[in-house]
Amino acid sequence: MKTIIGITPSHQNELREYYLKKNYVEAVLQAGGTPLILPITSDENIINNYLEIIDGLLLTGGIDPDPRYWGEESIPGMGKIDPLRDKFELSILKKACRKNMAVFGICRGFQLINVAFDGSLIQDIAQVENNYLKHMQQAPRWYGTHEIKISDNSLLKEIMEVNSLLVNSFHHQVCGKIGKGLKVSARANDGIIEALEAENKKFLLGVQWHPETMYRKRKEFSKIFQRFVDESKR
Ligand code: MN
């Protein structure tokens, strides 16, 4: 039995090019999945065709979602926006959830899950007066720099089987209001939400960190990809 995992790339539309870090593909492969990169499209029929082919959906990292999706206009700390990617990923994500497909979001993908369920993001934590930790680390990508505390009775806890983890951190945006039907699976020690999942036990999981750049040196992170591929198989 093949388990096909659709993976969303980023792109530069002006250059007519798609991009995807190989770590995402390799993390799916080592978990026994068959990765399939899904070119960004605005054609809903093509999106429906993708969903006929794939068993699970992996939303990857990338640039900032457009704050108009949660009713705000951009502040100066906002990064680049890719309107075509935003529209594509929100569409395929919502449709995948309606089909009860296993969905895993990493970094931007995690943030998009919150936005898709009517949550909001803080556009730039540097603009917020608070004693936040450093969430845009300057250590190597495989190296964890801040701790997270994992919520009891969460899917993440069931997968990782620990109360806390050291994770990497490459984000300047964070979750604000939590989306409907989602619950917090982990927080950093400054209160920042680092993982979200569905309240109803379906496999809808998002993590703010990048397990795909850690699993080779920290084997426990491959458990997330393993569980995601296993759930996609069902
Ligand atoms: Mn972080």
Side-chain angles (χ1 to χ4, degrees), residues 114-133:
N114 195 40
V115 172
F117 285 82
D118 295 326
S120 69
L121 305 180
I122 293 166
Q123 294 184 42
D124 183 19
I125 48 169
Q127 309 300 317
V128 181
E129 264 186 58
N130 206 326
N131 290 321
Y132 289 126
L133 295 164

Side-chain angles (χ1 to χ4, degrees), residues 125 133-137 145-148 167-171 173-174 188 190 192-194 208-209:
I125 48 169
L133 295 164
K134 188 174 175 74
H135 286 273
M136 187 62 85
Q137 75 181 45
T145 60
H146 73 64
E147 191 183 50
I148 57 167
V167 299
N168 61 11
S169 198
F170 296 95
H171 58 109
Q173 298 199 317
V174 298
D190 57 6
I192 294 293
I193 299 168
E194 290 277 338
Q208 179 65 84
W209 75 94

Side-chain angles (χ1 to χ4, degrees), residues 27-75:
V28 167
L29 282 170
Q30 59 86 34
T34 299
L36 187 66
I37 301 168
L38 306 176
I40 292 162
T41 178
S42 54
D43 186 330
E44 295 295 326
N45 291 320
I46 298 295
I47 293 173
N48 293 339
N49 291 345
Y50 288 166
L51 290 164
E52 292 293 314
I53 297 167
I54 65 174
D55 301 299
L57 177 66
L58 174 58
L59 297 163
T60 60
I63 59 177
D64 297 346
D66 188 342
R68 284 189 181 275
Y69 282 106
W70 61 92
E72 290 180 8
E73 292 187 291
S74 292
I75 63 166

